[in-house]
Coordinates of all heavy atoms in Angstrom, one line a residue:
C8 N -9.1 -24.1 19.6 CA -9.3 -25.5 19.2 C -8.3 -25.8 18.1 O -7.9 -24.9 17.3 CB -10.7 -25.8 18.8 SG -11.1 -25.7 17.1
S9 N -7.8 -27.0 18.0 CA -6.7 -27.3 17.1 C -7.1 -27.4 15.6 O -6.3 -27.2 14.7 CB -6.0 -28.6 17.5 OG -6.9 -29.7 17.4
A10 N -8.4 -27.6 15.4 CA -8.9 -27.7 14.1 C -8.7 -26.5 13.3 O -8.3 -26.5 12.1 CB -10.4 -28.0 14.1
S11 N -8.8 -25.3 13.9 CA -8.7 -24.1 13.2 C -7.2 -23.8 12.8 O -6.9 -23.2 11.8 CB -9.2 -22.9 14.0 OG -8.5 -22.7 15.1
T12 N -6.3 -24.3 13.7 CA -4.9 -24.0 13.4 C -4.3 -24.9 12.3 O -3.3 -24.7 11.7 CB -4.0 -24.2 14.7 OG1 -4.2 -25.5 15.2 CG2 -4.3 -23.2 15.7
N13 N -5.1 -26.0 12.1 CA -4.6 -27.0 11.0 C -5.2 -26.6 9.6 O -4.9 -27.3 8.7 CB -5.1 -28.4 11.3 CG -4.2 -29.0 12.4 OD1 -3.1 -28.5 12.6 ND2 -4.7 -30.0 13.1
K14 N -5.9 -25.5 9.6 CA -6.5 -25.1 8.3 C -5.4 -24.7 7.4 O -4.5 -24.0 7.7 CB -7.4 -23.9 8.5 CG -8.8 -24.3 8.9 CD -9.7 -23.1 8.8 CE -11.0 -23.3 9.6 NZ -11.8 -22.1 9.7
P15 N -5.5 -25.1 6.1 CA -4.5 -24.7 5.1 C -4.6 -23.1 4.9 O -5.6 -22.5 5.1 CB -4.9 -25.4 3.8 CG -5.9 -26.4 4.2 CD -6.5 -26.0 5.5
V16 N -3.4 -22.6 4.6 CA -3.4 -21.1 4.4 C -3.3 -20.9 2.9 O -2.4 -21.4 2.2 CB -2.1 -20.5 5.1 CG1 -2.0 -19.0 4.7 CG2 -2.2 -20.7 6.6
L17 N -4.3 -20.1 2.4 CA -4.3 -19.8 1.0 C -3.8 -18.3 0.9 O -4.5 -17.4 1.5 CB -5.7 -19.9 0.4 CG -5.8 -19.6 -1.1 CD1 -5.2 -20.7 -1.9 CD2 -7.3 -19.5 -1.5
T18 N -2.7 -18.1 0.2 CA -2.2 -16.8 0.1 C -2.5 -16.2 -1.3 O -2.3 -16.9 -2.3 CB -0.6 -16.8 0.2 OG1 -0.3 -17.5 1.4 CG2 0.0 -15.4 0.3
L19 N -3.1 -15.0 -1.2 CA -3.5 -14.3 -2.5 C -2.6 -13.2 -2.7 O -2.5 -12.3 -1.8 CB -5.0 -13.9 -2.3 CG -5.5 -12.8 -3.4 CD1 -5.4 -13.3 -4.8 CD2 -6.9 -12.4 -3.1
F20 N -1.8 -13.2 -3.7 CA -1.0 -12.1 -4.1 C -1.8 -11.1 -5.0 O -2.3 -11.5 -6.0 CB 0.3 -12.6 -4.8 CG 1.2 -13.4 -4.0 CD1 1.0 -14.8 -3.9 CD2 2.1 -12.8 -3.2 CE1 1.8 -15.5 -3.0 CE2 2.9 -13.5 -2.3 CZ 2.8 -14.9 -2.2
T21 N -1.9 -9.9 -4.5 CA -2.9 -9.0 -5.1 C -2.4 -7.6 -5.1 O -1.3 -7.3 -4.6 CB -4.2 -9.1 -4.3 OG1 -5.2 -8.2 -5.0 CG2 -4.1 -8.6 -2.9
K22 N -3.1 -6.7 -5.7 CA -2.8 -5.2 -5.6 C -4.1 -4.5 -5.9 O -5.1 -5.1 -6.4 CB -1.7 -4.8 -6.5 CG -2.0 -4.9 -8.0 CD -0.8 -4.5 -8.9 CE -1.2 -4.6 -10.3 NZ -0.1 -4.6 -11.2
K23 N -4.2 -3.3 -5.5 CA -5.4 -2.5 -5.8 C -5.3 -1.7 -7.0 O -4.2 -1.1 -7.2 CB -5.7 -1.6 -4.6 CG -5.9 -2.3 -3.3 CD -7.3 -2.6 -3.0 CE -7.5 -3.3 -1.7 NZ -7.3 -4.7 -1.7
P24 N -6.3 -1.5 -7.9 CA -7.5 -2.4 -7.9 C -7.1 -3.7 -8.6 O -6.2 -3.8 -9.4 CB -8.4 -1.5 -8.8 CG -7.5 -0.8 -9.7 CD -6.2 -0.5 -8.9
C25 N -7.9 -4.7 -8.3 CA -7.7 -6.0 -9.0 C -9.0 -6.7 -9.2 O -9.4 -7.5 -8.3 CB -6.7 -6.9 -8.2 SG -6.5 -8.5 -8.9
P26 N -9.8 -6.4 -10.2 CA -11.1 -7.0 -10.5 C -11.0 -8.5 -10.5 O -11.9 -9.2 -10.0 CB -11.5 -6.4 -11.8 CG -10.7 -5.2 -12.0 CD -9.4 -5.4 -11.3
L27 N -9.9 -9.1 -11.1 CA -9.8 -10.5 -11.1 C -9.6 -11.1 -9.8 O -10.1 -12.2 -9.5 CB -8.6 -10.9 -12.0 CG -8.8 -10.9 -13.5 CD1 -7.5 -11.3 -14.2 CD2 -9.9 -11.8 -14.0
C28 N -9.0 -10.4 -8.9 CA -8.8 -10.8 -7.5 C -10.2 -10.9 -6.8 O -10.5 -11.8 -6.1 CB -7.9 -9.9 -6.7 SG -6.2 -9.8 -7.4
D29 N -11.0 -9.8 -7.0 CA -12.3 -9.7 -6.4 C -13.1 -10.9 -6.9 O -13.9 -11.5 -6.1 CB -13.0 -8.4 -6.8 CG -12.2 -7.2 -6.2 OD1 -11.4 -7.4 -5.2 OD2 -12.3 -6.1 -6.7
E30 N -13.0 -11.2 -8.2 CA -13.8 -12.3 -8.8 C -13.3 -13.6 -8.2 O -14.2 -14.5 -7.8 CB -13.5 -12.3 -10.3 CG -14.4 -13.1 -11.1 CD -14.0 -13.0 -12.6 OE1 -14.0 -11.9 -13.2 OE2 -13.6 -14.1 -13.2
A31 N -12.0 -13.8 -8.0 CA -11.5 -15.0 -7.5 C -12.0 -15.2 -6.0 O -12.3 -16.3 -5.7 CB -9.9 -14.9 -7.5
K32 N -12.0 -14.1 -5.3 CA -12.5 -14.2 -3.9 C -13.9 -14.7 -3.8 O -14.3 -15.4 -2.9 CB -12.2 -12.9 -3.1 CG -10.8 -12.8 -2.7 CD -10.6 -11.6 -1.8 CE -10.5 -10.3 -2.5 NZ -10.0 -9.2 -1.6
E33 N -14.7 -14.2 -4.8 CA -16.1 -14.6 -4.8 C -16.3 -16.1 -5.1 O -17.1 -16.8 -4.5 CB -16.9 -13.8 -5.9 CG -17.4 -12.4 -5.4 CD -18.0 -11.6 -6.5 OE1 -18.7 -12.2 -7.4 OE2 -17.8 -10.4 -6.5
V34 N -15.4 -16.5 -6.1 CA -15.5 -18.0 -6.4 C -15.1 -18.8 -5.2 O -15.6 -19.9 -5.0 CB -14.5 -18.2 -7.6 CG1 -14.4 -19.7 -7.9 CG2 -15.0 -17.5 -8.9
L35 N -14.2 -18.3 -4.4 CA -13.7 -19.1 -3.2 C -14.6 -19.0 -2.0 O -14.4 -19.7 -1.1 CB -12.3 -18.6 -2.9 CG -11.2 -19.0 -3.9 CD1 -9.9 -18.2 -3.6 CD2 -11.0 -20.5 -4.0
E36 N -15.5 -18.1 -2.1 CA -16.4 -17.8 -0.9 C -17.0 -19.0 -0.3 O -17.0 -19.2 0.9 CB -17.5 -16.8 -1.4 CG -18.4 -16.3 -0.3 CD -17.8 -15.4 0.7 OE1 -16.7 -14.8 0.4 OE2 -18.3 -15.3 1.9
P37 N -17.6 -20.0 -1.1 CA -18.2 -21.2 -0.5 C -17.2 -22.0 0.3 O -17.6 -22.9 1.1 CB -18.8 -21.9 -1.7 CG -18.7 -21.0 -2.8 CD -17.7 -19.9 -2.5
Y38 N -15.9 -21.9 0.1 CA -14.9 -22.7 0.7 C -14.2 -22.1 1.9 O -13.4 -22.7 2.5 CB -13.8 -23.1 -0.3 CG -14.3 -23.8 -1.5 CD1 -14.8 -23.1 -2.7 CD2 -14.4 -25.2 -1.5 CE1 -15.3 -23.8 -3.7 CE2 -14.9 -25.9 -2.6 CZ -15.4 -25.2 -3.7 OH -15.9 -25.8 -4.8
K39 N -14.6 -20.8 2.2 CA -13.8 -20.0 3.1 C -13.7 -20.6 4.5 O -12.8 -20.2 5.2 CB -14.3 -18.6 3.1 CG -15.6 -18.3 3.8 CD -15.8 -16.8 3.9 CE -17.0 -16.6 4.8 NZ -18.1 -16.0 4.3
R40 N -14.6 -21.5 4.9 CA -14.5 -22.1 6.2 C -13.4 -23.2 6.3 O -13.0 -23.6 7.4 CB -15.8 -22.7 6.7 CG -16.9 -21.7 7.0 CD -18.2 -22.3 7.6 NE -18.6 -23.5 6.8 CZ -19.3 -23.4 5.7 NH1 -19.6 -22.2 5.2 NH2 -19.8 -24.4 5.1
R41 N -12.9 -23.6 5.1 CA -11.9 -24.6 5.1 C -10.5 -24.2 4.9 O -9.6 -25.0 5.0 CB -12.3 -25.6 3.9 CG -13.6 -26.3 4.1 CD -14.1 -27.0 2.9 NE -13.1 -28.0 2.4 CZ -13.2 -28.6 1.2 NH1 -14.2 -28.3 0.4 NH2 -12.3 -29.5 0.8
F42 N -10.3 -22.9 4.8 CA -8.9 -22.4 4.7 C -8.8 -21.0 5.3 O -9.8 -20.3 5.6 CB -8.4 -22.4 3.3 CG -9.2 -21.4 2.4 CD1 -8.8 -20.1 2.3 CD2 -10.3 -21.8 1.7 CE1 -9.5 -19.2 1.5 CE2 -11.0 -20.9 0.9 CZ -10.6 -19.6 0.8
I43 N -7.6 -20.5 5.6 CA -7.4 -19.2 6.0 C -6.8 -18.4 4.8 O -5.9 -18.8 4.2 CB -6.3 -19.2 7.2 CG1 -6.8 -20.0 8.4 CG2 -5.9 -17.8 7.5 CD1 -5.8 -20.5 9.3
L44 N -7.5 -17.3 4.5 CA -7.1 -16.4 3.4 C -6.1 -15.4 3.9 O -6.4 -14.6 4.9 CB -8.3 -15.8 2.7 CG -7.9 -14.9 1.5 CD1 -7.3 -15.8 0.4 CD2 -9.1 -14.1 1.0
Q45 N -5.0 -15.3 3.3 CA -4.0 -14.3 3.6 C -3.7 -13.6 2.4 O -3.3 -14.1 1.4 CB -2.7 -15.1 4.1 CG -1.6 -14.2 4.5 CD -0.4 -15.1 4.9 OE1 -0.3 -16.3 4.5 NE2 0.6 -14.5 5.5
E46 N -3.9 -12.3 2.4 CA -3.7 -11.4 1.3 C -2.3 -10.7 1.4 O -2.0 -10.2 2.4 CB -4.8 -10.4 1.1 CG -6.1 -11.1 0.7 CD -7.2 -10.1 0.3 OE1 -6.9 -9.1 -0.4 OE2 -8.3 -10.3 0.8
V47 N -1.6 -10.7 0.3 CA -0.3 -10.0 0.2 C -0.4 -9.0 -0.9 O -0.6 -9.3 -2.1 CB 0.8 -11.0 -0.1 CG1 2.2 -10.3 -0.3 CG2 1.0 -12.1 1.0
D48 N -0.3 -7.7 -0.5 CA -0.3 -6.6 -1.4 C 1.1 -6.4 -2.0 O 2.0 -6.0 -1.3 CB -0.8 -5.3 -0.7 CG -0.9 -4.1 -1.7 OD1 -0.3 -4.2 -2.8 OD2 -1.6 -3.2 -1.3
I49 N 1.2 -6.8 -3.3 CA 2.6 -6.8 -3.9 C 3.1 -5.4 -4.1 O 4.3 -5.3 -4.5 CB 2.6 -7.7 -5.2 CG1 1.7 -7.0 -6.3 CG2 2.2 -9.1 -4.9 CD1 1.9 -7.7 -7.6
T50 N 2.3 -4.4 -4.0 CA 2.8 -3.0 -4.2 C 3.4 -2.4 -2.9 O 4.1 -1.4 -3.0 CB 1.6 -2.1 -4.6 OG1 0.7 -2.0 -3.6 CG2 1.0 -2.6 -5.9
L51 N 3.3 -3.1 -1.8 CA 4.0 -2.6 -0.6 C 5.5 -2.8 -0.7 O 6.0 -3.8 -1.3 CB 3.5 -3.4 0.7 CG 2.0 -3.2 1.0 CD1 1.6 -4.1 2.2 CD2 1.7 -1.7 1.2
P52 N 6.3 -1.8 -0.2 CA 7.7 -1.9 -0.3 C 8.3 -3.2 0.2 O 9.2 -3.8 -0.5 CB 8.2 -0.8 0.5 CG 7.1 0.1 0.7 CD 5.8 -0.7 0.5
E53 N 7.8 -3.8 1.3 CA 8.3 -5.0 1.8 C 8.0 -6.2 0.9 O 8.6 -7.3 1.2 CB 7.9 -5.3 3.3 CG 6.4 -5.5 3.4 CD 5.6 -4.2 3.7 OE1 6.0 -3.1 3.3 OE2 4.5 -4.3 4.3
N54 N 7.2 -6.1 0.0 CA 6.8 -7.2 -0.9 C 7.3 -7.0 -2.3 O 6.8 -7.6 -3.3 CB 5.3 -7.3 -0.9 CG 4.7 -7.7 0.4 OD1 5.3 -8.4 1.2 ND2 3.5 -7.2 0.7
S55 N 8.4 -6.2 -2.5 CA 8.9 -5.9 -3.8 C 9.4 -7.2 -4.6 O 9.2 -7.2 -5.8 CB 10.0 -4.9 -3.7 OG 11.1 -5.4 -3.0
A56 N 9.8 -8.2 -3.9 CA 10.3 -9.4 -4.5 C 9.1 -10.1 -5.2 O 9.2 -10.6 -6.3 CB 10.9 -10.4 -3.5
W57 N 7.9 -10.1 -4.5 CA 6.7 -10.7 -5.1 C 6.2 -9.8 -6.2 O 5.7 -10.3 -7.2 CB 5.6 -10.8 -4.0 CG 5.9 -11.8 -2.9 CD1 6.1 -11.6 -1.6 CD2 6.1 -13.2 -3.1 NE1 6.4 -12.7 -0.9 CE2 6.4 -13.8 -1.8 CE3 6.1 -14.1 -4.2 CZ2 6.7 -15.1 -1.6 CZ3 6.4 -15.4 -4.0 CH2 6.6 -15.9 -2.8
Y58 N 6.4 -8.5 -6.1 CA 6.0 -7.6 -7.1 C 6.7 -7.9 -8.4 O 6.1 -8.1 -9.5 CB 6.2 -6.1 -6.7 CG 5.7 -5.2 -7.8 CD1 4.4 -4.9 -8.0 CD2 6.7 -4.6 -8.7 CE1 4.0 -4.0 -9.0 CE2 6.3 -3.8 -9.7 CZ 4.9 -3.5 -9.9 OH 4.5 -2.6 -10.9
D59 N 8.0 -8.0 -8.3 CA 8.9 -8.4 -9.5 C 8.5 -9.7 -10.1 O 8.5 -9.8 -11.3 CB 10.3 -8.4 -9.1 CG 10.9 -7.1 -8.6 OD1 10.3 -6.0 -9.0 OD2 11.9 -7.0 -8.0
K60 N 8.1 -10.6 -9.2 CA 7.7 -12.0 -9.7 C 6.3 -12.0 -10.3 O 6.1 -12.7 -11.4 CB 7.8 -12.9 -8.6 CG 7.8 -14.4 -9.0 CD 8.2 -15.3 -7.8 CE 8.1 -16.7 -8.2 NZ 8.5 -17.6 -7.2
Y61 N 5.4 -11.3 -9.7 CA 4.0 -11.5 -10.1 C 3.3 -10.3 -10.7 O 2.0 -10.4 -10.9 CB 3.2 -12.0 -8.9 CG 3.6 -13.4 -8.4 CD1 3.6 -13.7 -7.1 CD2 3.8 -14.4 -9.3 CE1 3.9 -15.0 -6.6 CE2 4.1 -15.7 -8.9 CZ 4.2 -16.0 -7.6 OH 4.5 -17.2 -7.2
K62 N 3.9 -9.2 -10.9 CA 3.2 -8.0 -11.3 C 2.3 -8.1 -12.5 O 1.3 -7.4 -12.6 CB 4.2 -6.8 -11.5 CG 5.2 -7.0 -12.6 CD 6.2 -5.9 -12.7 CE 7.4 -6.3 -13.5 NZ 8.6 -5.5 -13.1
Y63 N 2.6 -9.1 -13.4 CA 1.8 -9.2 -14.6 C 0.8 -10.5 -14.5 O 0.1 -10.8 -15.4 CB 2.6 -9.4 -15.9 CG 3.5 -8.2 -16.1 CD1 4.9 -8.4 -16.1 CD2 3.0 -7.0 -16.3 CE1 5.8 -7.4 -16.3 CE2 3.9 -5.9 -16.5 CZ 5.3 -6.1 -16.5 OH 6.1 -5.0 -16.7
D64 N 0.9 -11.1 -13.3 CA 0.1 -12.4 -13.2 C -1.0 -12.4 -12.2 O -1.6 -13.4 -12.0 CB 1.1 -13.5 -12.9 CG 2.0 -13.9 -14.1 OD1 1.4 -13.9 -15.2 OD2 3.2 -14.1 -13.9
I65 N -1.1 -11.3 -11.4 CA -2.1 -11.4 -10.3 C -3.5 -11.6 -10.8 O -3.8 -11.1 -11.9 CB -2.1 -10.2 -9.3 CG1 -2.3 -8.9 -10.1 CG2 -0.7 -10.2 -8.6 CD1 -2.7 -7.8 -9.2
P66 N -4.4 -12.3 -10.1 CA -4.1 -12.9 -8.8 C -3.3 -14.2 -8.9 O -3.5 -14.9 -9.9 CB -5.5 -13.2 -8.3 CG -6.4 -13.4 -9.5 CD -5.8 -12.4 -10.5
V67 N -2.4 -14.4 -8.0 CA -1.6 -15.6 -7.8 C -2.0 -16.2 -6.5 O -2.1 -15.5 -5.5 CB -0.1 -15.3 -7.9 CG1 0.7 -16.5 -7.7 CG2 0.2 -14.7 -9.3
F68 N -2.1 -17.5 -6.5 CA -2.5 -18.2 -5.2 C -1.4 -19.2 -4.9 O -0.9 -19.9 -5.7 CB -3.8 -18.9 -5.4 CG -5.0 -18.0 -5.5 CD1 -5.5 -17.7 -6.8 CD2 -5.6 -17.5 -4.4 CE1 -6.5 -16.8 -6.9 CE2 -6.7 -16.7 -4.5 CZ -7.2 -16.3 -5.8
H69 N -1.0 -19.2 -3.6 CA -0.2 -20.2 -3.0 C -1.0 -20.9 -1.9 O -1.7 -20.2 -1.2 CB 1.1 -19.6 -2.3 CG 2.1 -19.1 -3.3 ND1 3.4 -18.8 -2.9 CD2 2.1 -18.8 -4.6 CE1 4.1 -18.4 -3.9 NE2 3.3 -18.4 -5.0
L70 N -0.9 -22.2 -1.9 CA -1.5 -23.0 -0.8 C -0.5 -23.5 0.1 O 0.4 -24.3 -0.4 CB -2.4 -24.1 -1.4 CG -3.3 -24.8 -0.5 CD1 -4.3 -23.8 0.2 CD2 -4.1 -25.9 -1.2
N71 N -0.5 -23.1 1.4 CA 0.5 -23.5 2.3 C 1.9 -23.3 1.8 O 2.8 -24.1 1.9 CB 0.4 -25.0 2.7 CG -0.7 -25.2 3.8 OD1 -1.3 -24.2 4.2 ND2 -0.9 -26.4 4.3
G72 N 2.1 -22.1 1.2 CA 3.4 -21.7 0.7 C 3.9 -22.2 -0.6 O 4.9 -21.9 -1.1
K73 N 3.0 -23.1 -1.2 CA 3.4 -23.6 -2.6 C 2.5 -23.0 -3.6 O 1.3 -22.9 -3.4 CB 3.2 -25.1 -2.6 CG 4.2 -25.9 -1.8 CD 4.3 -27.3 -2.2 CE 5.0 -28.2 -1.2 NZ 4.1 -28.9 -0.3
F74 N 3.1 -22.7 -4.8 CA 2.4 -22.1 -5.9 C 1.2 -23.0 -6.2 O 1.4 -24.2 -6.4 CB 3.3 -21.9 -7.1 CG 2.5 -21.4 -8.3 CD1 2.1 -20.1 -8.5 CD2 2.1 -22.3 -9.3 CE1 1.4 -19.7 -9.6 CE2 1.3 -21.9 -10.4 CZ 1.0 -20.6 -10.5
L75 N 0.0 -22.5 -6.4 CA -1.2 -23.3 -6.8 C -1.7 -22.9 -8.1 O -1.9 -23.8 -9.0 CB -2.2 -23.1 -5.7 CG -3.5 -23.9 -5.9 CD1 -3.2 -25.4 -5.8 CD2 -4.6 -23.6 -4.9
M76 N -2.0 -21.6 -8.3 CA -2.6 -21.2 -9.6 C -2.5 -19.7 -9.7 O -2.2 -19.0 -8.8 CB -4.1 -21.6 -9.6 CG -4.9 -21.1 -8.4 SD -6.5 -22.0 -8.2 CE -7.0 -21.4 -6.6
K77 N -2.8 -19.2 -11.0 CA -2.8 -17.8 -11.2 C -3.8 -17.4 -12.2 O -4.4 -18.2 -12.9 CB -1.4 -17.3 -11.6 CG -0.9 -17.8 -13.0 CD 0.5 -17.3 -13.3 CE 0.9 -17.8 -14.6 NZ 2.3 -17.5 -14.9
H78 N -4.1 -16.1 -12.2 CA -5.1 -15.4 -13.1 C -6.5 -15.8 -12.7 O -7.3 -14.9 -12.4 CB -4.9 -15.8 -14.6 CG -3.5 -15.4 -15.0 ND1 -2.9 -16.0 -16.1 CD2 -2.7 -14.4 -14.6 CE1 -1.7 -15.5 -16.3 NE2 -1.5 -14.5 -15.4
R79 N -6.9 -17.0 -12.8 CA -8.3 -17.4 -12.4 C -8.2 -18.6 -11.5 O -7.3 -19.4 -11.5 CB -9.1 -17.8 -13.6 CG -9.2 -16.6 -14.6 CD -10.4 -16.8 -15.5 NE -10.6 -15.7 -16.4 CZ -11.2 -14.5 -16.0 NH1 -11.6 -14.3 -14.8 NH2 -11.3 -13.5 -16.9
V80 N -9.3 -18.7 -10.7 CA -9.4 -19.9 -9.8 C -9.8 -21.1 -10.6 O -10.7 -21.1 -11.3 CB -10.5 -19.6 -8.7 CG1 -10.7 -20.9 -7.8 CG2 -10.0 -18.4 -7.8
N81 N -8.9 -22.1 -10.4 CA -9.2 -23.5 -10.9 C -9.8 -24.3 -9.8 O -9.1 -24.8 -9.0 CB -7.9 -24.1 -11.5 CG -8.2 -25.5 -12.0 OD1 -9.1 -26.2 -11.6 ND2 -7.3 -25.9 -12.9
I82 N -11.2 -24.3 -9.7 CA -11.8 -24.9 -8.6 C -11.5 -26.4 -8.4 O -11.2 -26.8 -7.3 CB -13.4 -24.7 -8.7 CG1 -13.7 -23.3 -8.2 CG2 -14.1 -25.8 -7.9 CD1 -13.5 -23.0 -6.7
Q83 N -11.4 -27.1 -9.5 CA -11.0 -28.5 -9.4 C -9.7 -28.7 -8.8 O -9.5 -29.5 -7.9 CB -11.0 -29.1 -10.8 CG -11.0 -30.6 -10.8 CD -12.2 -31.2 -10.0 OE1 -13.4 -31.0 -10.3 NE2 -11.9 -32.0 -9.0
K84 N -8.7 -27.9 -9.3 CA -7.3 -28.0 -8.7 C -7.3 -27.6 -7.2 O -6.7 -28.3 -6.4 CB -6.4 -27.1 -9.5 CG -5.0 -27.2 -9.2 CD -4.2 -26.3 -10.2 CE -2.7 -26.7 -10.1 NZ -2.0 -25.9 -11.1
F85 N -8.0 -26.5 -6.9 CA -8.1 -26.0 -5.6 C -8.7 -27.1 -4.6 O -8.1 -27.4 -3.6 CB -8.9 -24.7 -5.5 CG -9.1 -24.2 -4.2 CD1 -8.0 -23.7 -3.4 CD2 -10.4 -24.1 -3.6 CE1 -8.2 -23.3 -2.1 CE2 -10.5 -23.7 -2.3 CZ -9.5 -23.2 -1.6
E86 N -9.8 -27.6 -5.1 CA -10.5 -28.7 -4.2 C -9.6 -29.9 -4.0 O -9.5 -30.4 -2.9 CB -11.8 -29.1 -4.9 CG -13.0 -28.2 -4.6 CD -14.2 -29.0 -4.4 OE1 -14.2 -30.0 -3.7 OE2 -15.2 -28.7 -5.1
D87 N -8.9 -30.3 -5.1 CA -8.1 -31.5 -5.0 C -7.0 -31.2 -3.9 O -6.7 -32.1 -3.1 CB -7.4 -31.9 -6.3 CG -8.4 -32.4 -7.3 OD1 -9.6 -32.7 -6.9 OD2 -8.1 -32.5 -8.5
Q88 N -6.3 -30.1 -4.1 CA -5.2 -29.8 -3.1 C -5.7 -29.6 -1.7 O -5.1 -30.0 -0.8 CB -4.5 -28.5 -3.6 CG -3.7 -28.7 -5.0 CD -2.7 -29.9 -4.9 OE1 -2.0 -30.0 -4.0 NE2 -2.7 -30.7 -5.9
L89 N -6.8 -28.9 -1.6 CA -7.4 -28.7 -0.3 C -7.8 -30.0 0.4 O -7.4 -30.2 1.6 CB -8.7 -27.8 -0.4 CG -9.2 -27.1 0.8 CD1 -8.2 -26.3 1.5 CD2 -10.4 -26.3 0.5
R90 N -8.4 -30.9 -0.4 CA -8.7 -32.2 0.2 C -7.5 -33.0 0.6 O -7.5 -33.6 1.7 CB -9.5 -33.0 -0.9 CG -10.3 -34.2 -0.2 CD -11.3 -34.8 -1.2 NE -12.3 -33.8 -1.7 CZ -12.4 -33.5 -3.0 NH1 -11.7 -34.1 -3.9 NH2 -13.4 -32.7 -3.4
K91 N -6.5 -32.9 -0.2 CA -5.2 -33.6 0.1 C -4.7 -33.1 1.5 O -4.3 -33.9 2.3 CB -4.2 -33.3 -1.0 CG -3.7 -34.6 -1.7 CD -2.7 -34.2 -2.7 CE -3.1 -34.7 -4.1 NZ -2.4 -34.1 -5.2
L92 N -4.6 -31.8 1.6 CA -4.1 -31.2 2.9 C -5.0 -31.6 4.1 O -4.5 -31.8 5.2 CB -4.0 -29.7 2.7 CG -2.9 -29.2 1.8 CD1 -3.1 -27.7 1.5 CD2 -1.6 -29.5 2.4
E93 N -6.3 -31.6 3.9 CA -7.2 -32.0 4.9 C -7.1 -33.4 5.4 O -7.1 -33.7 6.6 CB -8.7 -31.7 4.5 CG -9.0 -30.2 4.4 CD -10.4 -29.9 3.7 OE1 -10.9 -30.8 3.1 OE2 -10.8 -28.8 3.9
L94 N -6.8 -34.3 4.4 CA -6.5 -35.7 4.8 C -5.2 -35.9 5.5 O -5.1 -36.8 6.4 CB -6.5 -36.5 3.5 CG -7.8 -36.7 2.8 CD1 -7.7 -37.4 1.4 CD2 -8.9 -37.4 3.6
Q95 N -4.2 -35.0 5.2 CA -3.0 -35.1 5.9 C -3.1 -34.7 7.4 O -2.4 -35.2 8.2 CB -1.9 -34.3 5.2 CG -1.4 -34.9 3.9 CD -0.6 -33.9 3.1 OE1 -0.2 -32.8 3.6 NE2 -0.3 -34.2 1.9
S96 N -3.9 -33.7 7.7 CA -3.9 -33.1 9.0 C -4.8 -33.9 10.0 O -5.5 -34.8 9.6 CB -4.3 -31.7 9.0 OG -5.7 -31.6 8.5

């Protein structure tokens, strides 16, 4: 169905272990039906550019490829952006 393909993609830049990332995922749990979560492990060799950029900042979130927030989930900001994308699709 086309509804699922129109879901915004939330990219989480992470590494193991990352307690803040786990915490962030818990905060986002109630919204998980409204977006697709894509996790990028910045320690993998193919992600070295992201590692250089974000090694001191994870978790970092991009929504549909655009930087959204880092360190902690800003629910208000996340909701606003999510709603905007939902209205567009």
Side-chain angles (χ1 to χ4, degrees):
C8 95
S9 63
S11 65
T12 55
N13 284 340
K14 276 189 196 171
V16 176
L17 185 68
T18 308
L19 165 60
F20 294 90
T21 184
K22 65 183 182 193
K23 300 270 182 274
C25 177
L27 281 178
C28 301
D29 298 337
E30 194 181 298
K32 285 192 277 191
E33 275 177 38
V34 173
L35 292 168
E36 185 70 20
Y38 300 91
K39 71 173 195 245
R40 288 187 312 282
R41 293 170 60 191
F42 65 88
I43 296 159
L44 181 65
Q45 181 185 15
E46 291 189 44
V47 175
D48 184 339
I49 64 170
T50 62
L51 297 176
E53 65 267 26
N54 295 328
S55 62
W57 293 117
Y58 179 81
D59 293 341
K60 192 169 182 178
Y61 291 143
K62 60 186 166 205
Y63 303 119
D64 286 321
I65 60 163
V67 175
F68 292 94
H69 286 195
L70 190 58
N71 278 3
K73 289 200 194 95
F74 174 82
L75 180 67
M76 55 195 169
K77 65 183 180 184
H78 302 152
R79 298 204 177 277
V80 172
N81 177 335
I82 279 295
Q83 194 56 59
K84 187 176 196 177
F85 176 66
E86 275 219 49
D87 291 347
Q88 294 302 315
L89 195 56
R90 197 169 301 119
K91 242 181 238 167
L92 289 169
E93 287 169 344
L94 291 172
Q95 285 168 12
S96 61

